Amino acid sequence: MIHRTGILGGTFDPVHNGHLALAAAAGNVCDLSEVVLLPAAVPPHKATKDITKFSHRAAMLTLAVRDNPLFYVSTIEELLPSPSYTIDTLQYLRIHSAGASQFYFITGADAFLDILSWHKYEDVLMASHFIVFSRNGCKNKKLNKLLLFLNYKKQTNNWWYNQKSRKSIYTSTIALPTVSSSEVRKRISSGKGVDSLVPEEVARYIRDHGLYKA
C-alpha cells in the first residue's frame, strides 16, 4: 500500500486556523495518510526579518495538532543547513522515509506562482507531487499558464501530470479561512483578542509567553 505524506511548510509565526484548514483540506483532496507540518528554521524569503524563536513556533504548532491523528510536527529544518530550502527538506525526508512513501507538497497558489524563483525548483518538482489551493479565477488562469510552461498536461479539471517526472499537481478552489499570521500578530500587538483565529491552546501559549506584544 502506498503511503501518501502531505508536507506543509511555513514560518507558522504563529500557526492559525487557516493553516490547519489547509492541511485538512489537502488530506481530503488526495486521501493523504498523514500531513507533516514543518516549521522553517530560517525561511529563505524572510531571513532578514524578525522571526519568533523556532522553539516557540514549534511548541505552538505541536499544541495545535496534538488532537488530530492525521497531523504531526517535524522539527528537522532546525537541524538542516540554513536557510530552509524546500529541496533540502524533501531530500532529507526521502532518505529517512519508507520506500513506498509518496510526497505531496501543500501550498497556496500565491506561493506556487513564484516557484521559478525557488532554490532548485526543477529538482523540487521532480521530488514531490503538489497540492495547490487557489482562491479566484485570475489566479487559476495564471496557474494554468504556469503549469503548461512547466510541461504539465491537464488530465481532469483539478489534476495535471508531467510525463517526464511522473509527478502530479492537484489544484483546488475549496473555500478556506483567510486569516494570516501577520493579522494575528497585529491584533495581539494592538491588544485585541485572537481566540477566533488560532486554536485555544495556541492563544493560551501566546498569552503565557507574552509573544507578539508591541
Side-chain angles (χ1 to χ4, degrees), residues 13-33:
D13 193 15
V15 59
H16 53 66
N17 294 335
H19 291 132
L20 303 180
L22 181 65
N28 291 330
V29 167
C30 287
D31 192 23
L32 300 178
S33 308

Side-chain angles (χ1 to χ4, degrees), residues 36-100:
V36 182
L37 294 104
L38 288 154
V42 182
H45 301 298
K46 300 182 181 180
T48 61
K49 294 185 178 181
D50 185 21
I51 301 172
T52 304
K53 285 176 59 177
F54 183 88
S55 58
H56 284 312
R57 292 184 286 116
M60 287 186 285
L61 197 51
T62 299
L63 287 171
V65 306
R66 66 181 181 182
D67 294 327
N68 191 322
L70 179 67
F71 302 156
Y72 84 86
V73 177
S74 172
T75 58
I76 62 169
E77 291 202 354
E78 187 179 31
L79 306 176
L80 296 175
S82 295
S84 303
Y85 289 123
T86 298
I87 187 58
D88 296 333
T89 301
L90 288 171
Q91 289 175 343
Y92 180 94
L93 291 173
R94 173 62 64 197
I95 293 171
H96 293 85
S97 299

